Amino acid sequence: DQQVKQNSPSLSVQEGRISILNCDYTNSMFDYFLWYKKYPAEGPTFLISISSIKDKNEDGRFTVFLNKSAKHLSLHIVPSQPGDSAVYFCAASRVLRQLTFGSGTQLTVLP
Amino acid sequence: GAVVSQHPSWVICKSGTSVKIECRSLDFQATTMFWYRQFPKQSLMLMATSNEGSKATYEQGVEKDKFLINHASLTLSTLTVTSAHPEDSSFYICSAPKQGRENGYTFGSGTRLTVV
């Protein structure tokens, strides 16, 4: 049972445009959500998080939106830069327990 | 702050040998360490959760006798892959919760294991 799903394995965006990465979850007990960026053969790099008491969190070019009723979160990157090209994982947890990861979305930002 | 140092970064070993992977929390005390495994082009899958001073909790399907986890101190957790086989070749990553709920999790840099 895949509790966290990223249905788009890949996404290509032109430099300067907005990148929108989507994530769905099924476990209503999750109360903390995170996005990570990962390069091959490296550990994930934390990008941004959101608690279930919020519906939006913004940090520079990155904004995460949470729709609890739809059990959906999204990561917006604007403007997208070539250096943003990587695999992005969404993850969910509750009360500092282990993270459950989505399958990842490969973002390619075209110059 | 809240850095986890993971070693080695990569290792090649022969079938049948054992490999130890270490994760050290450098500037905080990690009472809990999560161990993940990632196959190529797949997600990070939780293998086990280690807690300082107690036995690790393994996820379903993970052989506890094959993947030995030790969390003897608040700053060190180890994963030993025993009697390694080529199918154990993978990318292993540790992670620890940071101090405070909103601070998230910190990850080690990962270990690429290749069993030949």
Side-chain angles (χ1 to χ4, degrees):
Chain A
D1 176 32
Q2 203 174 353
Q3 297 187 60
V4 179
K5 298 179 183 179
Q6 292 176 258
N7 293 317
S8 298
S10 63
L11 174 69
S12 291
V13 172
Q14 207 69 36
E15 181 179 5
R17 298 288 184 94
I18 184 171
S19 296
I20 300 176
L21 298 106
N22 294 302
C23 182
D24 297 295
Y25 62 96
T26 57
N27 189 340
S28 58
M29 298 297 290
F30 288 141
D31 62 355
Y32 192 56
F33 304 89
L34 309 92
W35 283 95
Y36 286 90
K37 177 180 179 180
K38 187 179 181 301
Y39 295 110
E42 291 184 13
T45 302
F46 171 74
L47 282 175
I48 193 168
S49 64
I50 188 167
S51 166
S52 61
I53 63 173
K54 299 180 180 178
D55 54 20
K56 177 183 175 181
N57 189 24
E58 192 172 355
D59 184 1
R61 296 187 298 115
F62 303 93
T63 303
V64 57
F65 295 92
L66 176 63
N67 182 333
K68 289 184 288 296
S69 60
K71 293 191 178 66
H72 177 83
L73 68 155
S74 61
L75 174 68
H76 292 209
I77 306 173
V78 56
S80 302
Q81 300 172 354
D84 295 330
S85 297
V87 177
Y88 289 78
F89 288 97
C90 67
S93 78
R94 56 186 182 97
V95 200
L96 277 177
R97 295 186 65 180
Q98 73 275 8
L99 290 170
T100 301
F101 286 88
S103 52
T105 297
Q106 171 70 57
L107 173 65
T108 303
V109 180
L110 305 168
Chain B
V3 175
V4 171
S5 176
Q6 182 172 348
H7 295 279
S9 299
W10 59 271
V11 59
I12 302 173
C13 70
K14 292 184 177 180
S15 291
T17 62
S18 295
V19 173
K20 179 185 282 188
I21 301 170
E22 292 188 350
C23 279
R24 293 180 183 274
S25 55
L26 299 185
D27 51 1
F28 70 106
Q29 293 182 331
T31 55
T32 299
M33 191 74 74
F34 302 112
W35 287 92
Y36 297 88
R37 178 176 180 177
Q38 184 187 26
F39 292 103
K41 298 184 179 180
Q42 294 189 29
S43 186
L44 291 145
M45 302 300 295
L46 181 69
M47 297 175 64
T49 302
S50 72
N51 294 290
E52 186 269 335
S54 63
K55 289 184 178 180
T57 304
Y58 289 81
E59 296 300 302
Q60 192 173 12
V62 177
E63 300 175 60
K64 57 183 69 176
D65 293 331
K66 181 168 186 60
F67 298 99
L68 299 179
I69 289 175
N70 184 282
H71 197 147
S73 77
L74 288 170
T75 59
L76 176 63
S77 177
T78 62
L79 166 66
T80 302
V81 183
T82 63
S83 187
H85 290 279
E87 56 265 31
D88 298 327
S89 298
S90 190
F91 191 58
Y92 295 86
I93 304 174
C94 59
S95 173
K98 293 184 180 180
Q99 306 289 345
R101 185 68 174 89
E102 291 294 322
N103 293 332
Y105 301 77
T106 184
F107 284 83
S109 54
T111 298
R112 167 69 62 190
L113 170 64
T114 302
V115 184
V116 297

